[in-house]
Amino acid sequence: MTATITPGTPALSARRRWTVLAICASALFLVGLDTTIVTVGLAEIGRGLGTSADRLAWVIDAYTVTFAGLLITAGAVADRFGRRRVFRTGLVVFAVSSLACAAAPSLAFLVAARVGQGVGASMMTPVALAIVVSAMPDPRERAQAIGVWGAIFGLSMAAGPVTGGALLALFDWRAVFWINVPLVVVALLLVGAVVPESRGARVRRLDVRGQLLLVALLWLAVTVLIEGPRIGWTAPGTVAGAVAVAGLTAVLVRVETGRAEPLLEPRLFLVPRFAGAVLGAIAVFVAFSMTLLMTTLLLQRVTGWSAVAAGAATLPMAVGATVCAPVSGHLVGRVGPRVPLLLAGGCVTLGGALLAAAGMNLPLLLTALALVGIGVGFANAPITDTAVSGLPPERAGVAAGTASTARQLGTALGVALAAGLVAEVTADGFASAALPGWLVVAGCGAVLLLVAGVSPGTGRAQPNPVSR
């Protein structure tokens, strides 16, 4: 297919639209899977590469931080040069980097290859969502599609530990990376056959300075969180890093405020609805990633479960996220985002509280995981829909990039916080060390409840005037 979707292009058939969604969502599944698939394999990676546990958080965050830092620019580049073209390029970069990860002889090489995976992933997720948004102009159908999108993303994130555990049982840790290659080949064939080309009607200039500042800020912030517990929170390096984070944040805001077409639009963050969507995305994925990493470490380190058993224990979270995401999309289309956000916040808050009280009580632990998964499932659709609907259609790539950046930033922060709390803790001290983490999860649920308060109560969200 060589069709290009523009504002004047006739709508695709319903069958074609939903086929496009299925193909783009399959690539999203791959990206989400690689965010969490290594979670249960960190111990095996550490043993295989002779690396201490406190360094292994970089295996996850080298991917998620790079992913988060480049998402908005990737969306803007796709709006300019063609979304399908950028999407296919991202698939190729992702596959090549996956092969490099599988062949890594050292931790440094693996982390560098994971950065490459993050570059490829950043060219896939917001671009794929922008393709779907362009193909589905009807707001109600788009909300339903975003619900399915959220289900696939939630399933991919939660299925990672299960898939990783199975691959570890059958092969070794390198399998969690090379398995991506045949999946990418299939995706490339399907994209070339079915997905039409689309572009933004109005192309913006790329903000190189803003992009460099954003990447530097994210890397520095996560470095402080990962290395702070190892070298000490009051160590000169940690304090200097924290001061630099604050300084870079101020510089980024000033630079972006002075640009006519910034990477990040500060004016949008003055609108409670849009700012709430971004804050909610960060909160829900901090909760999700902390729960996932700390639970799998708990089961392997304290109970001695195998990687595949620990991964299987996270299935309630996967089921909750998968089942509730399309329900949430349906609710957003009918009554607006407030109700699903209230359900999400309540479930995550209760799940965090149960995790703090569960200890080694397996039924309580599984119930808590299910509640967190349900919360993630209900949160994704209203957050994504608000971010996308708040900007005009020609800005779909940038809007999707903003929402995806917030999610990946939440994942990176959650992994860094969890690793700082429990990476080097012995089995005897795990419960007390993990307690602050479970309270953070509950606090993230409370944030979602606050975000629900600034969300539209009924009907469809209207575009923000500031975005026009």
Side-chain angles (χ1 to χ4, degrees):
M1 297 288 182
T2 58
T4 298
I5 297 178
T6 64
T9 302
L12 303 176
S13 67
R15 180 177 179 180
R16 177 85 176 275
R17 292 195 301 271
W18 287 91
T19 302
V20 167
L21 171 65
I23 294 170
C24 290
S26 67
L28 174 75
F29 182 88
L30 186 62
V31 169
L33 191 73
D34 240 65
T35 304
T36 58
I37 194 172
V38 301
T39 303
V40 297
L42 287 179
E44 291 292 331
I45 292 173
R47 282 191 288 270
L49 298 178
T51 302
S52 61
D54 62 332
R55 317 298 297 160
L56 292 173
W58 283 116
V59 178
I60 299 176
D61 273 353
Y63 175 77
T64 54
V65 173
T66 305
F67 190 1
L70 297 176
L71 279 168
I72 299 177
T73 291
V77 169
D79 286 344
R80 176 186 292 264
F81 296 108
R83 292 162 183 158
R84 186 179 71 166
R85 177 182 299 172
V86 173
F87 186 46
R88 295 172 78 175
T89 302
L91 284 167
V92 173
V93 172
F94 190 83
V96 173
S97 300
S98 295
L99 286 176
C101 289
S106 66
L107 179 65
F109 190 99
L110 177 59
V111 168
R114 287 285 278 172
V115 169
Q117 280 190 309
V119 172
S122 72
M123 301 168 74
M124 293 160 59
T125 302
V127 178
L129 182 55
I131 291 171
V132 172
V133 170
S134 296
M136 295 186 172
D138 178 69
R140 187 176 296 274
E141 185 182 44
R142 186 173 65 224
Q144 294 170 349
I146 289 174
V148 175
W149 184 268
I152 297 298
F153 190 74
L155 175 62
S156 69
M157 296 283 285
V162 181
T163 307
L167 290 170
L168 287 168
L170 292 173
F171 305 104
D172 63 9
W173 66 265
R174 298 181 188 276
V176 303
F177 299 113
W178 59 250
I179 195 65
N180 294 329
V181 178
L183 299 177
V184 167
V185 171
V186 173
L188 282 169
L189 293 174
L190 291 174
V191 169
V194 177
V195 175
E197 183 62 281
S198 63
R199 294 179 175 84
R202 184 174 67 89
V203 176
R204 301 196 314 162
R205 296 178 61 183
L206 298 180
D207 181 6
V208 177
R209 282 197 301 170
Q211 177 63 82
L212 293 175
L213 284 169
L214 178 61
V215 170
L217 174 62
L218 294 181
W219 271 92
L220 186 57
V222 171
T223 298
V224 170
L225 289 174
I226 291 177
E227 301 297 331
R230 186 177 66 87
I231 66 176
W233 290 112
T234 59
T238 306
V239 174
V243 171
V245 168
L248 274 176
T249 301
V251 172
L252 178 63
V253 171
R254 183 170 182 175
V255 168
E256 296 301 274
T257 302
R259 285 187 61 87
E261 295 182 330
L263 176 73
L264 296 171
E265 299 190 33
R267 290 183 306 159
L268 290 180
F269 291 91
L270 298 177
V271 179
R273 191 176 68 218
F274 185 85
V278 173
L279 180 62
I282 293 172
V284 74
F285 279 91
V286 166
F288 180 85
S289 58
M290 288 192 75
T291 301
L292 196 58
L293 181 56
M294 292 173 65
T295 300
T296 53
L297 288 176
L298 167 70
L299 293 174
Q300 291 180 83
R301 190 174 298 170
V302 178
T303 67
W305 285 21
S306 66
V308 66
T314 65
L315 278 173
M317 192 153 51
V319 172
T322 305
V323 171
C324 293
V327 176
S328 178
H330 180 72
L331 286 174
V332 170
R334 291 182 62 86
V335 301
R338 182 175 296 173
V339 170
L341 278 174
L342 287 171
L343 291 171
C347 288
V348 173
T349 301
L350 183 56
L354 278 181
L355 286 167
M360 293 311 302
N361 185 312
L362 189 58
L364 275 182
L365 182 64
L366 296 178
T367 301
L369 291 175
L371 285 168
V372 173
I374 290 170
V376 173
F378 273 114
N380 263 322
I383 287 170
T384 303
D385 187 72
T386 299
V388 172
S389 300
L391 294 175
E394 65 269 17
R395 300 293 307 285
V398 175
T402 302
S404 296
T405 295
R407 279 194 290 265
Q408 292 304 316
L409 176 59
T411 299
L413 293 176
V415 168
L417 289 170
L421 289 171
V422 300
E424 289 291 316
V425 177
T426 62
D428 292 337
F430 194 98
S432 59
L435 180 60
W438 303 138
L439 296 179
V440 169
V441 172
C444 289
V447 169
L448 288 174
L449 292 174
L450 293 175
V451 171
V454 299
S455 300
T458 58
R460 294 280 309 151
Q462 298 300 314
N464 291 323
V466 73
S467 68
R468 299 186 178 194

